[in-house]
Amino acid sequence: MLPLSVKDDEYKPAKFNLLLKLSGWFRSILADKTSRNLFFFLCLNLSFAFVELSYGIWSNSLGLISDSFHMFFDCTALLAGLAASVISRWRSNDSFSYGYVRAEVLAGFVNGLFLIFTAFFIFSEGVERALEPPDVHHDRLLPVSVAGLLVNLVGIFVFQHGGHGHSHGEEGHGHSHSLFNGSVNHGHAHGGHEPESKHGGHGHSHDGHAGHGHSHDGHAGHGHSHDGNGGHGDSHSHDELRTPGKGASKQILQGVLLHIIADTLGSVGVIISALLMQKYDLMIADPICSMLISLLIGVSVVPLLRESIGILMQRTPPSLDQALPECYQRVQQLQGVYNLQDPHFWTLCTDVYIGTIKLLVAPDADRRWILSQTHNVFTQAGVRQLYVQIDTAAM
Amino acid sequence: MEDKYSSNVLSRGKLGMVEVPNSRLTRYIVLLVVTKVLKALGIFESYDILKVVHIVQFIFILKLGSAVVLLFFQKPFSSGKVISKRQWIKLLKHAVFSCVISLLGFFGLTLCGPLRTLLLFEHSDVVVIALLGVLFTSSGGGPSKTRGAALFIIAVICLLLFDNDDLMAKMAEHPEGHHDSALTHFLYTAIAFLGVADHKGGVVLLVASLLLKVGFHTASRKLSVEIGGAKRLYALDNLVSAIVLLPWVVVLSLTTDSKVESWSSLILPFGMIILSVTILEFYVEAICNTKMETPRCARYGAIALFLSALLLANFWTHPLTDQLRSMSKPPQQVSTEHVLSGGVIVSAIFFIMSSSILSSPSKKGQKGTLVGYSPEGTPLYNFMGDALQHTSQSLPRFIKDSLKQILEEYDSRQIFYFLCLNLAFTFVELFYGVWTNSLGLISDGFHMLFDCSALVLGLFAALMSRWKATRIFSYGYGRVEILSGFINGLFLMVIAFFVFVESVSRVLDPPNINTDMLTPVSVGGLLVNLVGICAFSHAHAHAHGGKTCPSNDHGHSHHGHSHSEHGHSHGGHGHGGHGHGGHGPPPGSAGGGMNANMRGVFLHVLADTLGSVGVIISTILIRQFGWLIADPICSLFIATLIFLSVIPLLKDACEVLLLRIPPEIEKELNSALEKVEKIEGVLSYRDPHFWRHSANIMAGTIHLQIMAGVVEQRIVQQVTAILKDAGVNNLSVQVEKEAYFQHMSGLSTGFQEVLAMTQQMESMKYLNDGTCIM
């Protein structure tokens, strides 16, 4: 009988101190490596946009101003990623009983959508321009796009390197521990290192990254499963705190990285077409470049979008697709189990799977044994949270 | 029959076609593609040559050249059995026919240009036979073949009607220059007799000769067996037709004066044409037909040929290629090149699609997977799974079914009608724009078309949300509605952002707008969108009315919408009222996650309406007072309005997607949970998760700890009943007795948790009899 209402009373008074909140946010941003990277890169991007804007206003060049607004729009992707990485670490409360971990999936989805929009706009513009190539002033184009390219290259380097060092080196582990110690304040993070669940998480992470080509993400998933165990030991009644601090950012990182790569490709395209236009006077190079780039962006976003839509629609996790029928069979073969009904399995966030099933059992069956065996079976398959409702068959 | 038995049971391949691994076939496919590209090149080259060389001479040289090469390779006289006299006569007939067909084909080439000739004339026999089968027999081979035939016919019609080739029209005015001989004159008069323009006559001619060619190929099959192989026949045929054509060529070259300056410069192109068009293609196709199935070969070949023809047509007249060809090309450059028009591209795409459909093997007898043999020895098939889904579906029936589904429900019906209205308006605008040649109208029409995508998305989501739950999507597809609402909202936000940026830059530098065309169009758009607002706000109120919620906001918004005079202020106001209702804490917010899809569509329409209103107002202001700044300010205002109105929708959708406890039943849930705790025998509960999956599915999971001696089934039923009253209709309850934790401690649940739980239970002075079990 946990007094649930007491918590509400505690939370309400601490609402007003904006400064405290801001500093808290700031600290939590800096605490995690992913969000720190995101934050610094956002700052870099914003400052670049501001410099561009002020220079544009000063020199009264409309092109620069509009480009800087475009940069601001690009920053929204980073902002979304940053917000998601902060939000996803919020504790769960009464309303959001699973916590806010899904924010990261949502952020990936939003980023992907934005990219699709952008690609579409660029494509339509490219078609328009291919039909009647306008006179592009390429005198100021080159320096701006080179600068943008540099900024974006820094971004790519940081994020790829970040994901990399994270997953492989010892640093990643030490870091994640410190994260948990810092933000959750529980000493016994090691308590929950059970080999079985670690194994499940690991096995899954190999399946999970198959669709992507980001081999590092898969390893990040491994690192994450450690985290999950670490976090899992620290709460008494809140299972959902197992949810990760680190590997969680897979979706965010993927979305942000895609966005930055798209931007980089855009700058490269502009540079190439500017060069072509200057040297050979091929006016059609610009629209063709932009169309190619938009196609590339569109194609590269599709996996991310498909995955995040699957998660948001409570799809059965693709990595469990193969394992589940076998599990059903094993459960149905348990003594006393008549039938298995309403199996629902879905992904909460990266690598955290939740399932509910209903079992129809014989009246004289040993329910406790069945329950624990069922949990056993599905835990081995990698399902973190399982709800088994056992109904007695009406005889 | 034989392939049925050779199909591997384990390989799950479809019956009827033995799937050869692709890697082995790759080189043949590459060879085929290369040959087809070369052939396209050769046809283009021969078009250029035909401008100078007479057609009969051309064909003679072609036949002679290939005959020489083939004689060298094939040696038809020294090998094989001796040909009798009767066979020689048959061969002569055959050769005459093939001469006539090549004459017709190349004459079509001079009329239509290389691209159109390739598109029309170079279809594989398989495709044409399948087409004729669909058209003239009752059992065409299912709806997919019918679709292919329809595509083929559409493509031909496209070439006939929508291919406005200016240069051809120009040539048709003075065709006298081309009348070199009696033959061409005869053909010209025949075409003129048909009463169509010149190049259209060419299209008809090519189609006729295509049919002839296919018939000819089918008829010559018997002869090729008699003679001893198709290759031998081909070689002999080339030789005989060259001999047949010889007298004519002699007469021609004596009577007419040639336009060719030097024959020697033509040797190279002729050699290339002979090699690529006749010899290489013949051999490669023969090889591929033996290695792969004929339909597959035909498909790859057709696609490669058409694509390369399209590319070549684009680049053939490019100055860059002119430089490349300058050494081999006859020195003439009249500006009579056939342009690449939209109709040709469309028809090329249709041709590619139709040939790939028509050449796909017919599906009879291969739907199932062979699973084994019955004791009697008859094969057993498994018709489950993929095979059933891949059957081709009749297109009209599909349309009928989906229309029926759309019209079944109120929401999708509304969206559909409005979509139709919108599309009609768009097309009227587009046509009018094309007619009056106004670029502004056309671009506005495309913008409208783009807006329709939101409607299409909404419609699709409304349809999809009614799909049944599958094994993969175990909760059903209801969430599509929320996702679609979310996407629409995001979309609107992006648009608002861009409008905002644009108008900021316009405030700094107001451009000069010509206002004459704007008003009627925007008034029309406004009217259409007002209709939409009426329809959707009605649907809105309707949806809310279904839920029993005593809220004043809805009545208000409904009332507000039913006025339809001043759309602008009222629209914003009405919606603002609703948005307020949406996230206020009282239970009046039943519409919070109700139908995000409809809300998204509604907001989109609202934004469009606001846009039209803004345009009208700013037009009036600019006209009356000359305030050029009115336009950007209006759009600034509108962008802000859109932005603000989207936020509630986004917030609600986000909450649903983040698995929040549905705000409208939060209170009931809390009281229900209190009730659950008071059930006799329940110690406590943990992990109560409740979330809204879609409009009508509220899912929930809960763990219950109960005393040892209580019947679990009773508790589960009670809890389910209580929570069902609170609105949770997809619940699973996990009942745990104390002993459960002893089990779980060996598995994955944390030890601390169990410890805490047992401590808690001990402190409550309950019997712990769990120790005796296991």
Side-chain angles (χ1 to χ4, degrees):
Chain A
M1 287 187 207
L2 290 173
L4 289 166
S5 54
V6 174
K7 248 201 230 165
D8 286 345
D9 292 342
E10 276 177 357
Y11 274 151
K12 269 169 192 163
K15 217 175 199 176
F16 291 103
N17 202 339
L18 192 67
L19 205 68
L20 207 70
K21 224 173 193 176
L22 270 183
S23 71
W25 283 350
F26 196 66
R27 213 176 305 133
S28 71
I29 286 172
L30 292 187
D32 182 21
K33 188 163 181 181
T34 314
S35 52
R36 198 167 54 212
N37 279 340
L38 272 174
F39 181 69
F40 287 143
F41 188 62
L42 180 67
C43 285
L44 183 68
N45 235 337
L46 272 181
S47 57
F48 183 71
F50 268 115
V51 167
E52 205 177 342
L53 181 65
S54 51
Y55 185 73
I57 288 176
W58 182 53
S59 67
N60 207 6
S61 128
L62 214 67
L64 272 184
I65 294 178
S66 75
D67 194 64
S68 70
F69 271 108
H70 189 84
M71 285 287 280
F72 279 126
F73 180 68
D74 279 356
C75 287
T76 54
L78 286 176
L79 205 62
L82 187 63
S85 71
V86 170
I87 286 174
S88 67
R89 263 181 287 136
W90 287 356
R91 300 283 294 271
S92 59
N93 54 27
D94 282 348
S95 299
F96 291 89
S97 56
Y98 281 110
Y100 293 83
V101 281
R102 270 225 168 172
E104 80 199 30
V105 183
L106 211 56
F109 181 63
V110 169
N111 259 338
L113 271 185
F114 273 6
L115 274 178
I116 288 266
F117 289 158
T118 323
F120 183 80
F121 280 127
I122 292 176
F123 191 80
S124 60
E125 190 124 320
V127 168
E128 209 171 276
R129 284 194 183 178
L131 291 182
E132 45 174 311
D135 235 11
V136 188
H137 305 282
H138 38 65
D139 44 348
R140 194 103 45 102
L141 219 56
L142 216 50
V144 172
S145 51
V146 167
L149 177 67
L150 283 182
V151 168
N152 283 322
L153 275 184
V154 168
I156 286 184
F157 181 72
V158 163
F159 285 107
Q160 279 217 324
H161 192 74
H164 215 77
H166 228 320
S167 40
H168 287 292
E170 264 306 304
E171 180 210 10
H173 280 276
H175 175 68
S176 66
H177 279 299
S178 76
L179 162 76
F180 262 90
N181 289 337
S183 64
V184 190
N185 260 334
H186 265 272
H188 46 80
H190 300 274
H193 265 271
E194 269 96 27
E196 251 174 4
S197 107
K198 186 168 96 187
H199 174 72
H202 183 74
H204 152 64
S205 73
H206 270 288
D207 294 341
H209 77 169
H212 291 291
H214 276 270
S215 58
H216 308 302
D217 288 351
H219 286 287
H222 175 75
H224 147 68
S225 77
H226 278 279
D227 285 350
N229 284 335
H232 154 224
D234 69 6
S235 78
H236 302 296
S237 61
H238 285 271
D239 246 0
E240 56 273 14
L241 263 193
R242 306 170 182 192
T243 49
K246 177 105 317 191
S249 28
K250 180 186 153 198
Q251 298 263 350
I252 302 174
L253 268 187
Q254 203 186 342
V256 169
L257 193 67
L258 271 180
H259 205 110
I260 296 170
I261 287 176
D263 278 0
T264 317
L265 277 181
S267 320
V268 169
V270 168
I271 290 173
I272 288 176
S273 58
L275 281 179
L276 278 180
M277 277 190 286
Q278 272 181 356
K279 293 254 161 140
Y280 302 101
D281 221 28
L282 277 174
M283 276 304 171
I284 203 149
D286 181 42
I288 286 180
C289 255
S290 47
M291 277 198 279
L292 275 184
I293 284 166
S294 61
L295 278 185
L296 217 61
I297 295 173
V299 168
S300 65
V301 167
V302 166
L304 172 69
L305 267 189
R306 188 188 284 164
E307 193 186 359
S308 50
I309 283 180
I311 292 177
L312 289 178
M313 281 184 60
Q314 320 280 72
R315 184 195 196 284
T316 303
S319 51
L320 292 186
D321 261 354
Q322 300 298 321
L324 279 181
E326 196 185 324
C327 293
Y328 296 158
Q329 214 152 18
R330 279 174 66 189
V331 168
Q332 274 174 334
Q333 279 163 358
L334 291 179
Q335 197 174 12
V337 174
Y338 284 161
N339 202 357
L340 184 146
Q341 294 165 336
D342 292 353
H344 297 300
F345 286 87
W346 46 280
T347 318
L348 177 62
C349 63
T350 320
D351 294 347
V352 178
Y353 304 131
I354 294 178
T356 60
I357 51 172
K358 290 180 182 168
L359 292 180
L360 205 63
V361 300
D364 55 345
D366 184 357
R367 287 155 165 266
R368 277 161 284 203
W369 181 74
I370 288 174
L371 191 59
S372 67
Q373 285 300 315
T374 312
H375 272 265
N376 195 359
V377 166
F378 281 102
T379 310
Q380 278 174 8
V383 179
R384 288 290 189 78
Q385 281 189 40
L386 187 67
Y387 295 81
V388 184
Q389 175 173 345
I390 295 181
D391 291 328
T392 316
M395 294 297 278
Chain B
M1 267 305 120
E2 61 182 27
D3 41 22
K4 206 171 271 180
Y5 290 101
S6 62
S7 107
N8 195 347
V9 180
L10 291 176
S11 73
R12 274 194 257 164
K14 286 189 181 161
L15 272 186
M17 260 217 291
V18 188
E19 291 285 333
V20 186
N22 264 332
S23 54
R24 254 201 287 162
L25 290 180
T26 313
R27 57 191 140 143
Y28 294 112
I29 293 172
V30 168
L31 196 65
L32 188 68
V33 167
V34 168
T35 317
K36 290 292 177 186
V37 171
L38 276 179
K39 174 162 188 180
L41 209 64
I43 294 281
F44 272 83
E45 191 69 52
S46 50
Y47 174 69
D48 278 351
I49 290 180
L50 272 174
K51 281 177 190 159
V52 269
V53 183
H54 191 272
I55 178 166
V56 182
Q57 285 171 335
F58 178 80
I59 292 173
F60 171 70
I61 296 172
L62 214 61
K63 294 273 182 191
L64 189 66
S66 47
V68 167
V69 179
L70 283 169
L71 282 183
F72 182 71
F73 275 118
Q74 212 62 43
K75 300 187 183 64
F77 295 109
S78 54
S79 65
K81 56 189 175 189
V82 185
I83 299 161
S84 69
K85 199 175 177 187
R86 273 188 58 176
Q87 281 169 346
W88 273 114
I89 293 171
K90 272 188 190 170
L91 204 62
L92 190 69
K93 279 186 203 163
H94 185 264
V96 170
F97 261 111
S98 78
C99 278
V100 169
I101 285 167
S102 358
L103 261 180
L104 287 177
F106 281 105
F107 188 67
L109 176 66
T110 59
L111 285 180
C112 292
L115 171 61
R116 293 153 180 86
T117 310
L118 280 173
L119 287 182
L120 280 169
F121 193 58
E122 297 298 334
H123 285 282
S124 157
D125 296 355
V126 187
V127 174
V128 179
I129 288 170
L131 174 74
L132 294 177
V134 170
L135 289 182
F136 296 113
T137 59
S138 54
S139 60
S144 77
K145 295 275 173 181
T146 318
R147 224 175 293 157
L151 280 177
F152 194 93
I153 291 167
I154 288 172
V156 173
I157 288 173
C158 259
L159 270 189
L160 265 182
L161 299 183
F162 299 111
D163 178 21
N164 41 1
D165 191 343
D166 298 339
L167 289 163
M168 286 180 168
K170 213 188 288 168
M171 273 164 65
E173 284 166 10
H174 45 87
E176 307 306 321
H178 287 261
H179 287 214
D180 299 328
S181 70
L183 175 78
T184 45
H185 186 73
F186 167 71
L187 283 171
Y188 268 116
T189 43
I191 287 165
F193 182 71
L194 281 176
V196 285
D198 217 17
H199 74 286
K200 292 177 183 169
V203 170
V204 174
L205 185 74
L206 279 175
V207 172
S209 54
L210 172 67
L211 295 181
L212 258 183
K213 186 180 82 168
V214 173
F216 169 68
H217 279 187
T218 322
S220 70
R221 219 167 267 169
K222 196 177 154 219
L223 185 64
S224 78
V225 175
E226 265 180 47
I227 298 262
K231 287 173 190 167
R232 194 173 178 208
L233 173 68
Y234 192 63
L236 286 174
D237 170 54
N238 269 320
L239 185 67
V240 174
S241 27
I243 295 169
V244 166
L245 282 174
L246 183 64
W248 198 350
V249 173
V250 171
V251 172
L252 258 183
S253 49
L254 286 181
T255 53
T256 56
D257 45 344
S258 169
K259 279 194 277 181
V260 186
E261 288 100 22
S262 66
W263 283 97
S264 58
S265 71
L266 284 181
I267 287 176
L268 199 63
F270 262 119
M272 186 247 166
I273 292 168
I274 288 167
L275 196 71
S276 65
V277 175
T278 57
I279 296 168
L280 199 61
E281 201 229 354
F282 179 74
Y283 276 112
V284 168
E285 209 151 82
I287 291 172
C288 289
N289 275 338
T290 53
K291 294 291 175 191
M292 301 191 280
E293 310 89 35
T294 321
R296 200 163 165 197
C297 172
R299 187 172 355 164
Y300 287 124
I303 291 172
L305 188 66
F306 295 158
L307 283 181
S308 58
L310 270 182
L311 282 179
L312 278 176
N314 198 16
F315 292 112
W316 195 250
T317 52
H318 198 269
L320 215 68
T321 40
D322 269 349
Q323 287 173 6
L324 288 178
R325 289 180 303 156
S326 58
M327 58 286 282
S328 68
K329 200 172 169 290
Q332 56 89 34
Q333 194 51 270
V334 206
S335 66
T336 55
E337 291 297 336
H338 296 279
V339 290
L340 194 63
S341 73
V344 178
I345 295 173
V346 170
S347 77
I349 292 166
F350 278 0
F351 269 128
I352 290 174
M353 278 157 62
S354 76
S355 63
S356 72
I357 291 174
L358 282 176
S359 63
S360 68
S362 84
K363 294 245 159 94
K364 265 174 208 153
Q366 28 174 300
K367 282 175 188 165
T369 318
L370 186 68
V371 287
Y373 295 95
S374 69
E376 291 82 40
T378 49
L380 297 173
Y381 300 109
N382 178 18
F383 282 92
M384 292 302 290
D386 293 343
L388 280 186
Q389 284 165 7
H390 284 213
T391 51
S392 62
Q393 201 179 3
S394 167
L395 198 65
R397 184 183 296 164
F398 175 73
I399 292 175
K400 216 171 88 186
D401 281 354
S402 43
L403 257 184
K404 204 171 140 200
Q405 271 187 344
I406 287 170
L407 295 184
E408 245 170 28
E409 208 142 294
Y410 189 78
D411 287 359
S412 51
R413 204 167 50 212
Q414 293 286 332
I415 298 180
F416 181 68
Y417 286 150
F418 186 62
L419 180 67
C420 286
L421 183 67
N422 225 336
L423 277 181
F425 182 73
T426 309
F427 276 112
V428 166
E429 199 175 343
L430 271 180
F431 274 119
Y432 190 72
V434 170
W435 189 40
T436 60
N437 211 4
S438 125
L439 211 70
L441 267 185
I442 293 176
S443 76
D444 194 65
F446 273 109
H447 185 83
M448 285 283 281
L449 211 59
F450 183 64
D451 279 357
C452 287
S453 67
L455 285 177
V456 171
L457 181 71
L459 186 64
F460 187 67
L463 266 190
M464 199 172 161
S465 65
R466 264 180 279 148
W467 289 1
K468 293 272 189 305
T470 60
R471 188 176 65 84
I472 302 292
F473 290 89
S474 55
Y475 284 106
Y477 291 84
R479 278 217 160 181
V480 171
E481 281 196 339
I482 290 148
L483 269 183
S484 134
F486 187 68
I487 293 174
N488 261 337
L490 270 184
F491 201 16
L492 276 179
M493 269 204 156
V494 173
I495 289 176
F497 181 82
F498 277 121
V499 169
F500 192 85
V501 169
E502 179 100 20
S503 51
V504 164
S505 69
R506 280 197 185 178
V507 162
L508 297 180
D509 177 22
N512 221 341
I513 314 167
N514 57 341
T515 52
D516 43 347
M517 192 68 80
L518 283 175
T519 331
V521 172
S522 49
V523 167
L526 177 66
L527 283 181
V528 168
N529 282 322
L530 275 183
V531 170
I533 284 195
C534 282
F536 288 122
S537 64
H538 205 73
H540 219 57
H542 181 78
H544 288 292
K547 279 273 180 194
T548 53
C549 60
S551 140
N552 278 337
D553 277 352
H554 295 299
H556 166 68
S557 74
H558 181 61
H559 177 68
H561 283 312
S562 58
H563 287 288
S564 61
E565 266 317 303
H566 38 185
H568 165 60
S569 63
H570 126 75
H573 185 60
H575 180 74
H578 167 74
H580 190 69
H583 58 125
S589 62
M594 255 316 285
N595 199 337
N597 186 21
M598 291 302 276
R599 276 173 72 188
V601 170
F602 173 74
L603 278 181
H604 204 108
V605 175
L606 188 77
D608 278 0
T609 317
L610 286 183
S612 322
V613 169
V615 168
I616 291 175
I617 289 176
S618 60
T619 310
I620 290 172
L621 282 181
I622 290 173
R623 269 203 193 159
Q624 294 286 346
F625 307 103
W627 293 344
L628 279 183
I629 209 161
D631 180 47
I633 286 181
C634 254
S635 25
L636 262 185
F637 189 64
I638 285 167
T640 325
L641 220 56
I642 293 173
F643 202 78
L644 289 181
S645 65
V646 169
I647 285 178
L649 170 69
L650 275 187
K651 189 167 162 283
D652 287 344
C654 266
E655 278 180 358
V656 174
L657 289 178
L658 284 177
L659 304 181
R660 187 195 199 282
I661 289 181
E664 64 269 13
I665 63 163
E666 208 168 355
K667 278 212 166 138
E668 287 119 86
L669 269 182
N670 281 338
S671 58
L673 286 180
E674 273 170 30
K675 267 193 232 166
V676 165
E677 269 196 323
K678 282 178 191 143
I679 294 175
E680 197 182 336
V682 172
L683 289 180
S684 125
Y685 64 88
R686 66 181 180 101
D687 290 358
H689 295 305
F690 299 99
W691 37 275
R692 178 189 286 288
H693 179 72
S694 64
N696 46 14
I697 294 179
M698 192 86 71
T701 53
I702 191 168
H703 284 201
L704 278 186
Q705 279 96 42
I706 62 171
M707 288 181 231
V710 186
V711 181
E712 287 138 332
Q713 191 59 41
R714 191 176 55 81
I715 302 257
V716 167
Q717 274 166 3
Q718 274 176 339
V719 170
T720 312
I722 288 173
L723 286 173
K724 195 159 222 162
D725 282 346
V728 181
N729 49 15
N730 194 330
L731 180 76
S732 68
V733 183
Q734 174 167 328
V735 176
E736 295 157 354
K737 290 189 182 178
E738 197 191 354
Y740 168 75
F741 290 102
Q742 264 78 25
H743 287 290
M744 292 315 290
S745 63
L747 295 173
S748 66
T749 319
F751 176 70
Q752 295 292 334
E753 200 173 331
V754 181
L755 201 67
M757 193 54 73
T758 38
Q759 277 169 359
Q760 190 186 352
M761 289 165 95
E762 270 171 7
S763 68
M764 286 171 185
K765 304 280 188 276
Y766 282 115
L767 284 170
N768 46 352
D769 57 349
T771 46
C772 64
I773 303 166
M774 293 209 155

